[in-house]
Structures are given as structure tokens and as C-alpha cells.
Amino acid sequence: MTHDSAGRRETLLVVGSGYRAGHERLLAQMAADADLILLNPEPVSWQRDWVQAAEVFDPADGDDGVLRTAKTLVDRRPVAAVVTYEETTVVTAARLAQSLGLPGVPVAAAELARDKHRQRTLLNSTGISPTRSVLVHDLPAARRAAQEIGYPLMVKPRGLSGSAGVRRVDEESQFDAAFDAAVNADKRGLESEGVLVEEFLEGFEFDVDCLVHDGTATPVSWARKIWAYDPYPIEAGFITGHGTLGRAEMTEGFDLACRSVLAAGIDRTVAHVEVKMTPAGPRIIELNARPGGDIASRIVELARGVRLGSLLVSAALGRAPHTASSDDRSAGIRFLYPRSRRRFDGLAEAARLRSRPWVHEIRELHPRGETVAPPPEDLYGRVGYVMATGPHADEVEDRLLLAHHELRVLGS
């Protein structure tokens, strides 16, 4: 629990709360360590259990409008820092911190984290993670870049998240369609001008979260990814805890992740980094100036007893992390998708599976009766998930695979 010099709990201004299933546990973990006031783009409901006060802001009002709304909160009580764990509010939170004269992610670092081209420019110019990448704005330029780089290659929007518009292209005949999909991907309120054509990096990809404050970066969480829907890099789940990664990932990979977030100027947050172990050594796939999403806070706590929300509070306040954890168990999550577009009638009963002691939770994410579709038609078409535990990551992966087969998505 964090207190000021007078022994009082410190207050953080949180920008954006995310969605309940994915982020409530993270917000609750933060609330255990600091008082929270919330600036949210939507009216609050479930968030009231964890925040002392809240105001709604309209992103269309611009920086000045957001600042006016924020002042109605911060004028009521002293605030120690500004923080966010939401991708869509990373830049907003950084600009707000700067305007209020409060600690937060530096604006330049937040903007770089939302711009994959600027990330590549930095990582290439410093030699930290050299990767061939060309920013293009039209199809003729994209075709020329593809010929220069060679196949296979990756096509991705400059500034989106969640693998929106991203695809591996194996041959020239697939390229135009991939470029068109990247240009027309649903931006979901994010800015993204231009498309990146990049070399495809072969290897094992994983996530690492680094707590960053005052020029130091410390790995605090990591995960093995579960992929689906090739050639679209859809992250259909992840596993953390005992046995998740090998020695090279936890030495060379972690070192590269920490050096990269520091080079990017990221500070006062838990930074989520995607790393791939290639034959030429580790390479950065992407930098983010916020913690990992997709219910990561619950899985990390379940597997290792580490609370990402508490670590985010420590980072925002510029304090050294307390990262004691368990190292003898593992946990993971697998997201469930329909096989095709259909009406969602729930998940299969699978009574025997549901009775297994290693099944931690099974949940449906859509109301029954809604029309749902799988990726790539709907990149966000998850209809449910299953969480599993075990003594080792390999065993958890096998259990999630079994559960994935048993929990059929019902509907016509």
C-alpha cells in the first residue's frame, strides 16, 4: 500500500478503465494500493466499486476539453500521478500528465508507442533491434517495398493494436489483398496513417512486461503465446508461470526488452513488449506503454501471485517494485471463437471437462442470440474463454488444448 510523507494513501488519476471482463481485476489490484479517481470515455458502472470519484470525458473535445474535465477531479484532492492501462488512452494520459504537471509517461514516448514506424526507426537507428521495414501510403509503393524486402513478409497498419489489419504474406499473389485489408482495418478510434511492409521474423514469440521508473526497467511478467488463424497473427491465448520460457528468452530476450523501453523513453508505467527469438538473436516486434491486456492481470496473479495492478501503481509513483512470486505453478487462458458466422447459443455443456480441478473458470463473453464470427472476419470475435492451471506451462498448454476441443461454440 502506498502512502505520502504524511502517511496518507496516495491518489492516482486513472485515464480509461477498459472492459469489465478484461480489466476489473487490474483496477481492483490498483485500488488496493492507492486511491483512484477515474477519467473515462464512457459512463461508469462497475468501476464505482474501485474508484473514489469519476468523470466522463469526450475524446472528440481534444486535449483542452479533456484537461477541463480532469481538473474537476484533481481540484478536489491532491493527485500524485496520471496512469493508464488502456491502449486507446496512452497518448491522452501522457498529454494530460504533462498539462497538469504530474508524473506520467512522457508524451514523446507515448506517441512513439502508438506509432510502429517510429518504433522501427528508433530500433534500427540505434542497432537495438534491426528489422527491415518500409512505410508506404499507396499500393505501387507497397509493391516496390515488397520486391525489395522479399517474401515472406508482414503487412501491418502503422498505428493499430490487437493484430488489426496484420497479415503474413507468403507470395506476391496475396500481397494486394493484404495491403487493402491493412488500409481498411477498423481503427477503433486509434490514429493510423500509412502501412508498414516488413521482413518476416522467423522464431518463437513471447511477451514480457517491464516495470519502468526513473531510468530503470525490471521484467515483472512474461507469457508464452498461443496462436491461431495463420497467416493472421491472432493471439488466441497465453500461458505464464513455471516453465513458460527458456533460458535464452529470460536472459537475452528480457535484456533486449528492457533496453528497448528505456531507449524509447518510456517511464512511470509497466511496458508491454513483444519479442521474437530469431536465428539472428532476439528482435522486438512491438513496444507498448501500458501493461499487457487480455485478462493478463488475473492469469499472472493466478500463476505467480504477482499483481500487475500493484506494480503499475509502484511504477506510476516512481517506486521500486516488490516482485516476490511463486515459481512452482503455471496458468493460462484460451479464447474461444465460433467456427463460422452464426447465432451464438452458448458453449457446449462439457460436464466432465467443467468438473476437472484444473479448470479455473469458463466464461461466455457474448449474450446468447447475438450473431458472431471468427477471425479474420471479426478480429474481436471471441465468444468466451477457459482458464486452466497446472504445475508446468507445458501441462497447462495441453489442458487448454483439450478444453478448446471440448468447449464447442453452439449455434446455427
Side-chain angles (χ1 to χ4, degrees):
M1 189 175 298
T2 58
H3 298 81
D4 62 17
S5 58
R8 296 168 299 194
R9 276 169 59 95
E10 296 195 82
T11 299
L12 294 178
L13 173 59
V14 181
V15 184
S17 63
Y19 69 107
R20 187 169 195 173
H23 297 106
E24 184 170 23
R25 185 58 188 161
L26 182 62
L27 194 64
Q29 292 170 352
M30 295 175 66
D33 277 26
D35 288 343
L36 308 178
I37 56 176
L38 174 65
L39 193 64
N40 206 50
E42 298 175 351
V44 298
S45 54
W46 58 269
Q47 302 93 332
R48 293 193 183 279
D49 290 339
W50 312 113
V51 302
Q52 306 294 313
E55 292 287 345
V56 176
F57 76 94
D58 184 352
D61 287 344
D63 293 346
D64 291 340
V66 175
L67 179 60
R68 284 194 299 270
T69 306
K71 283 185 173 179
T72 65
L73 283 171
V74 301
D75 287 348
R76 301 175 198 169
R77 60 194 299 165
V79 172
V82 180
V83 68
T84 186
Y85 50 77
E86 266 281 87
E87 182 71 18
T88 56
T89 54
V90 163
V91 174
T92 299
R95 292 174 178 169
L96 189 56
Q98 182 181 65
S99 297
L100 293 170
L102 292 170
V105 176
V107 172
E111 292 174 346
L112 182 143
R114 290 293 318 120
D115 188 331
K116 294 181 175 67
H117 174 59
R118 290 177 61 188
Q119 289 182 29
R120 281 286 177 241
T121 301
L122 170 72
L123 296 171
N124 283 333
S125 65
T126 57
I128 292 176
S129 178
T131 303
R132 287 176 294 169
S133 177
V134 180
L135 175 66
V136 296
H137 297 277
D138 55 53
L139 183 57
R143 288 171 173 166
R144 289 193 296 271
Q147 290 177 345
E148 176 186 330
I149 292 173
Y151 295 91
L153 51 79
M154 298 297 295
V155 175
K156 61 179 69 172
R158 178 177 184 171
L160 304 188
S161 63
S163 296
V166 182
R167 179 182 170 176
R168 189 190 73 247
V169 182
D170 295 323
E171 57 188 45
E172 186 176 359
S173 63
Q174 303 167 345
F175 185 80
D176 288 8
F179 177 80
D180 183 67
V183 169
N184 295 299
D186 184 357
K187 293 182 172 56
R188 295 203 162 203
L190 295 172
E191 294 183 8
S192 181
E193 181 182 353
V195 171
L196 294 180
V197 181
E198 296 188 346
E199 68 171 303
F200 173 69
L201 298 174
E202 186 70 54
F204 172 76
E205 186 173 335
F206 65 97
D207 298 333
V208 56
D209 283 19
C210 301
L211 187 150
V212 195
H213 74 97
D214 300 335
T216 64
T218 305
V220 292
S221 176
W222 47 89
R224 175 193 303 182
K225 298 186 177 189
I226 299 173
W227 297 105
Y229 300 101
D230 186 67
Y232 304 93
I234 304 299
E235 192 173 336
F238 52 89
I239 303 164
T240 189
H242 180 56
T244 302
L245 303 177
R247 183 179 297 276
E249 288 82 7
M250 299 184 74
T251 53
E252 300 169 41
F254 285 9
D255 176 69
L256 178 65
C258 290
R259 287 192 290 117
S260 298
V261 297
L262 293 177
I266 297 173
D267 197 11
R268 296 296 185 114
T269 191
V270 174
H272 183 70
V273 186
E274 298 174 0
V275 184
K276 181 170 282 191
M277 302 299 294
T278 78
R283 294 289 184 270
I284 298 297
I285 300 298
E286 187 176 296
L287 301 173
N288 299 277
R290 45 80 185 166
D294 286 340
I295 321 180
S297 57
R298 291 190 61 194
I299 302 302
V300 172
E301 186 176 20
L302 183 63
R304 300 176 49 237
V306 170
R307 302 190 306 167
L308 283 179
S310 297
L311 295 176
L312 184 57
V313 169
S314 296
L317 295 174
R319 297 182 174 175
H322 300 285
T323 56
S325 66
S326 304
D327 59 3
D328 60 350
R329 62 178 182 267
S330 179
I333 186 169
R334 179 71 188 249
F335 298 107
L336 305 170
Y337 300 86
R339 290 183 178 272
S340 59
R341 172 176 284 271
R342 66 184 61 201
R343 184 187 69 195
F344 179 55
D345 288 340
L347 301 174
E349 186 61 31
R352 183 178 178 185
L353 172 76
R354 291 172 187 264
S355 68
R356 303 265 188 165
W358 46 262
V359 172
H360 181 73
E361 182 183 11
I362 297 171
R363 180 168 180 172
E364 296 176 8
L365 294 174
H366 279 265
R368 298 188 180 191
E370 281 192 356
T371 299
V372 295
E377 181 178 352
D378 182 359
L379 292 176
Y380 308 95
R382 301 166 179 167
V383 297
Y385 63 74
V386 55
M387 296 179 184
T389 60
H392 192 279
D394 292 345
E395 189 166 358
V396 171
E397 188 165 16
D398 289 343
R399 289 171 172 178
L400 289 174
L401 180 61
L402 172 63
H404 175 255
H405 287 307
E406 294 283 334
L407 292 168
R408 293 178 297 107
V409 177
L410 306 177
S412 59

